[in-house]
Amino acid sequence: MKRMKKAALALEPVTSYADGLPIHFLTGKNYLYQTLFCIRSLAKTAGAHFKFILIDDGTFDADLTELVQRLLPNAEIISAELIEKNLAQHIPRSCTALLEKRKVYPHIRKLTDIHTLPGNSWKLVMDSDMIFWTEPKEILSWIEKPDSPLYMRDCMPSYGYTDLILKELSGKQLPELVNVGVIGLNSDYIEWQKIDEWIKILESREGTSYYLEQALTAMIIGDRPSTILADNQYIVNPDEQLIKHKNGILHHYVDLSKKEYFIDVWKNI
């Protein structure tokens, strides 16, 4: 991991374009090096210009901002101050469970901090612990003309709560195996007071879960027609052989695959 962090500082800069295809990353001091590798791999494989929008996870400082300006020229940084302003404008104070959860559970900021941003309702959010191996044509097409939710398929069910309660609360049939490594949503789909109520009931009946954000995202998508990225091309938790041969378009390094990611994978970029 230390070698990967050091190598990130020597990556070739990737320019962000104001009129480029917009991609959001929640990142900060502990994750920026992964964000840089993900972006660099995307720039190497995709024949397109992008607009990179980095959402401060609360750890940005002057040094980190300077680093972003050097390695991601013209990238947009959404500051913690602006995020707080947006939250106050869009999420009612009565959503106490949601706002308290945001303080202790950073993953939920991929919903709260990104989907309260002004501008286009459709937003594509990517995790940083991913590497692109070939051009992600399906993602590029979606960003150019989004008309339905977009998501990766997980390698196993990972919602953290029983299907029974998720269906009961959402009132809808849930999509299977949503993985939020790549997730495209319309901000207008998100009803913050409903999200707040879901959190209260889920945690009171079945406890807390690391996968809460993924469960909430699946509930938001519900039974809407969606663009589902093929799981043999957009691969969550790739095994050793898939990693070795760089099979597929994108690898999302979770669970056991993180070891190879931190040791060797980044050296290919």
Side-chain angles (χ1 to χ4, degrees):
M1 189 183 301
K2 289 181 179 179
R3 292 176 64 191
M4 184 179 177
K5 288 182 178 180
K6 183 177 180 180
L9 303 179
L11 286 171
E12 183 178 344
V14 179
T15 299
S16 177
Y17 296 87
D19 60 350
L21 302 177
I23 301 178
H24 302 75
F25 289 89
L26 176 67
T27 191
K29 189 169 293 186
N30 295 326
Y31 302 100
L32 182 63
Y33 71 103
Q34 296 180 42
T35 310
L36 292 170
F37 270 99
C38 181
I39 287 175
R40 184 66 204 143
S41 72
L42 177 60
K44 286 180 65 176
T45 58
H49 286 168
F50 297 96
K51 178 180 181 180
F52 300 113
I53 304 162
L54 306 188
I55 315 302
D56 180 1
D57 67 2
T59 62
F60 264 78
D61 56 20
D63 290 339
L64 205 63
T65 299
E66 182 180 355
L67 180 61
V68 169
Q69 291 171 342
R70 177 169 66 85
L71 294 177
L72 297 175
N74 302 321
E76 183 176 358
I77 300 173
I78 307 300
S79 68
E81 292 76 15
L82 181 56
I83 290 168
E84 291 293 338
K85 181 178 179 180
N86 291 336
L87 293 174
Q89 290 179 344
H90 294 282
I91 300 181
R93 290 187 179 182
S94 59
C95 294
T96 54
L98 173 59
L99 294 173
E100 285 301 313
K101 179 59 61 176
R102 180 183 173 273
K103 295 177 183 178
V104 298
Y105 177 62
H107 295 291
I108 208 165
R109 296 182 179 212
K110 289 169 61 183
L111 291 173
T112 57
D113 296 17
I114 293 174
H115 288 284
T116 53
L117 291 174
N120 293 335
S121 295
W122 287 105
K123 297 177 178 70
L124 185 79
V125 185
M126 288 187 184
D127 282 353
S128 295
D129 55 349
M130 306 192 302
I131 295 292
F132 290 88
W133 298 114
T134 60
E135 185 175 37
K137 294 179 180 178
E138 296 83 1
I139 292 177
L140 302 184
S141 296
W142 186 91
I143 303 176
E144 290 174 350
K145 195 175 181 180
D147 61 2
S148 64
L150 170 84
Y151 62 87
M152 301 176 69
R153 283 177 60 83
D154 215 330
C155 57
M156 61 183 294
S158 302
Y159 291 159
Y161 296 95
T162 61
D163 288 347
L164 183 65
I165 192 171
L166 297 178
K167 292 176 183 177
E168 174 191 332
L169 293 178
S170 66
K172 300 174 184 176
Q173 184 69 32
L174 263 64
E176 296 181 349
L177 300 175
V178 170
N179 179 275
V180 293
V182 178
I183 183 76
L185 281 180
N186 191 315
S187 300
D188 296 337
Y189 291 167
I190 302 175
E191 301 175 61
W192 298 114
Q193 289 178 317
K194 184 175 288 187
I195 298 290
D196 182 71
E197 188 66 19
W198 287 348
I199 293 172
K200 289 177 185 175
I201 297 173
L202 285 171
E203 296 195 340
S204 66
R205 288 169 56 178
E206 295 191 356
T208 59
S209 171
Y210 173 84
Y211 297 107
L212 174 63
E213 174 233 346
Q214 197 152 266
L216 293 173
T217 300
M219 294 168 77
I220 292 166
I221 294 173
D223 55 8
R224 291 183 172 90
S226 299
T227 301
I228 306 172
L229 298 170
D231 56 9
N232 65 340
Q233 296 297 318
Y234 295 85
I235 303 169
V236 178
N237 195 23
D239 62 28
E240 289 185 10
Q241 288 302 309
L242 291 172
I243 293 173
K244 179 180 178 181
H245 297 291
K246 305 179 182 66
N247 294 115
I249 294 170
L250 169 69
H251 289 178
H252 186 192
Y253 301 97
V254 299
D255 197 26
L256 297 178
S257 63
K258 277 195 179 297
K259 179 179 178 181
E260 294 295 327
Y261 170 65
F262 287 129
I263 294 174
D264 286 317
V265 170
W266 57 269
K267 298 174 184 176
N268 293 279
I269 306 304

